[in-house]
């Protein structure tokens, strides 16, 4: 019987494992198919994590996390988790080979990933001028022009954020109307540094060995093409959370989620299911920052320890 099962090996899951094992739990298992680290390992530069003053790649940044987080007895199970269920007080972790592990408590930290727009040049220049996080990468384009693609709340909010850093923000959306909150739309329209380009689509992201050099857009009402010389484009066309393994045999979800599939938690990372905690990008209102995910993981671990002690 596993005391605590942690599903997902990103910053939230690793931090949860560190705090759980160092906090005294003896049988803590991290379920992660590949090498722990999470999607941050795909980032080219990390420079905003407190206490780490050197600019390093995501892979370099996460490497010491693994050594530290496994130091106190955290066990890494590389089996793929296909479903999580609960009967009574015990959780069942169903693995791809048909094996089932049982656990007294679960921290779900499987994360998620930004949707790609399937644009020409997107795969080639991903991480080399293409970003999905203004907070993470906006500073690299200080006093430069950038393109933002999207029409929802996230796209418009990030465009406003970038306008404080960049000299100009070209906001491209395929429709004339935005899907964001009216107050957010009003802020964008009143911002002199944001140029709204609608209705329009991105035809191609161009670049060279140094990264992105321009973004070719098509004005859909006229068919005219416009090549915008920029070194950065921020894409906000949605986010997929990895909660499919919480779906039960009857089609319901193990715990309560919002309309986008993110797990609802309280400030202690507790779900509405006793003994089940969620941390990191998979939870509602997640800031999607490494430092926040790490804090979530630590909080969830401390709460899991208290839960198990109470039990």
């Amino acid at each position: 019987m596993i005391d605590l099962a942690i599903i997902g090996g990103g910053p939230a899951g690793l931090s949860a494992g560190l705090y759980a094992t160092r906090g005294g739990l003896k049988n803590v298992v991290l379920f992660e198919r590949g090498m722990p680290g999470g999607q941050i390992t795909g980032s080219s530069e990390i420079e905003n994590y407190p206490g780490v003053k050197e600019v390093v790649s995501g892979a370099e940044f996460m490497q010491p996390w693994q050594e530290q987080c496994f130091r106190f007895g955290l066990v890494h199970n590389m089996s793929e988790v296909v479903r999580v269920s609960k009967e009574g007080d015990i959780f069942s972790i169903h693995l791809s080979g048909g094996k089932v592990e049982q656990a007294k408590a679960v921290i779900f930290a499987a994360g998620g990933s930004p949707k790609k727009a399937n644009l020409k040049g997107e795969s080639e220049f991903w991480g080399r001028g293409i970003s999905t996080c203004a907070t993470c990468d906006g500073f690299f384009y200080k006093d430069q022009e950038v393109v933002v693609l999207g029409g929802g709340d996230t796209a418009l909010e990030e465009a406003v954020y970038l306008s404080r850093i960049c000299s100009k923000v070209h906001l491209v959306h395929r429709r004339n109307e935005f899907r964001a909150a009216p107050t957010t739309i009003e802020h964008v329209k009143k911002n002199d540094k944001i140029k709204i380009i609608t209705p329009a689509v991105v035809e191609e992201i161009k670049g060279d060995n140094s990264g992105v050099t321009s973004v070719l857009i098509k004005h859909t009402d006229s068919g005219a093409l416009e090549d915008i010389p920029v070194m950065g484009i921020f894409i906000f066309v949605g986010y997929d959370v990895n909660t499919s393994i919480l779906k039960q045999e009857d089609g319901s979800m193990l715990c309560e989620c919002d309309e986008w599939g993110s797990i609802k938690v309280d400030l202690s990372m507790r779900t509405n299911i006793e003994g089940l905690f969620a941390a990191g990008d998979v939870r509602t209102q997640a800031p999607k920052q490494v430092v926040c995910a790490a804090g979530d993981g630590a909080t969830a671990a401390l709460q899991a320890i208290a839960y198990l002690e109470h039990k």
Side-chain angles (χ1 to χ4, degrees):
M1 175 74 67
I2 297 171
D3 286 329
L4 175 62
I6 301 170
I7 300 173
L14 286 171
S15 298
L18 171 63
Y19 272 76
T21 51
R22 195 171 181 274
L25 295 185
K26 299 299 182 185
N27 191 3
V28 182
V29 178
L30 177 77
F31 290 90
E32 171 58 58
R33 279 182 295 173
M35 187 64 68
Q39 64 171 310
I40 194 64
T41 56
S43 297
S44 57
E45 292 180 316
I46 305 293
E47 67 169 11
N48 62 345
Y49 195 86
V52 181
K53 62 180 182 179
E54 296 84 7
V55 179
V56 295
S57 69
E60 292 171 321
F61 174 73
M62 291 306 301
Q63 195 281 327
W65 285 51
Q66 299 170 29
E67 179 183 346
Q68 181 187 24
C69 294
F70 286 101
R71 186 181 300 163
F72 300 97
L74 177 64
V75 175
H76 181 195
N77 187 319
M78 297 183 69
S79 301
E80 179 185 6
V81 177
V82 295
R83 187 163 63 89
V84 179
S85 60
K86 186 183 184 187
E87 186 173 347
D89 287 336
I90 302 302
F91 291 90
S92 292
I93 315 298
H94 303 261
L95 306 178
S96 57
K99 187 177 180 180
V100 179
E101 298 279 4
Q102 293 188 318
K104 299 175 184 176
V106 173
I107 294 176
F108 194 80
S113 56
K115 290 181 179 178
K116 290 190 175 182
N118 296 318
L119 304 170
K120 185 177 180 181
E122 186 176 23
S123 297
E124 183 180 355
F125 297 108
W126 191 265
R128 297 195 301 125
I130 301 177
S131 176
T132 57
C133 179
T135 311
C136 310
D137 301 327
F139 188 78
F140 298 127
Y141 305 98
K142 182 176 174 62
D143 298 326
Q144 298 180 33
E145 295 189 19
V146 295
V147 169
V148 169
L149 175 63
D153 282 296
T154 300
L156 270 63
E157 288 167 3
E158 298 286 58
V160 171
Y161 176 87
L162 287 165
S163 72
R164 305 186 190 115
I165 302 170
C166 303
S167 60
K168 190 174 186 179
V169 177
H170 302 267
L171 178 60
V172 180
H173 183 45
R174 59 182 176 172
R175 299 187 180 95
N176 281 318
E177 301 82 20
F178 293 105
R179 303 186 309 275
T183 53
T184 306
I185 296 173
E186 193 64 25
H187 288 155
V188 167
K189 289 182 175 179
K190 290 182 177 180
N191 193 317
D192 293 336
K193 295 176 72 176
I194 299 176
K195 180 183 179 182
I196 298 174
I197 305 176
T198 60
V201 295
V202 173
E203 286 283 288
E204 182 181 357
I205 300 172
K206 299 180 180 181
D208 53 26
N209 291 335
S210 65
V212 172
T213 57
S214 70
V215 174
L216 180 65
I217 67 165
K218 179 180 180 180
H219 297 269
T220 55
D221 52 356
S222 65
L225 296 176
E226 180 183 357
D227 200 25
I228 305 175
V230 293
M231 296 177 66
I233 174 172
F234 291 80
I235 298 175
F236 304 107
V237 292
Y239 192 86
D240 291 322
V241 287
N242 299 326
T243 54
S244 59
I245 64 175
L246 295 179
K247 184 173 286 188
Q248 304 302 289
E249 291 182 328
D250 62 1
S252 65
M253 296 297 287
L254 176 61
C255 61
E256 191 176 359
C257 300
D258 67 13
E259 58 187 301
W260 296 283
S262 300
I263 300 172
K264 292 185 177 182
V265 296
D266 61 15
L267 292 177
S268 297
M269 303 300 132
R270 292 179 296 215
T271 70
N272 65 315
I273 301 298
E274 193 176 44
L276 176 64
F277 306 84
D281 291 0
V282 78
R283 71 166 175 87
T284 53
Q285 298 182 322
K288 297 177 178 60
Q289 299 292 305
V290 175
V291 67
C292 300
D296 281 3
T299 299
L302 295 174
Q303 292 299 320
I305 292 171
Y307 167 77
L308 291 170
E309 288 178 345
H310 174 72
K311 282 293 182 181

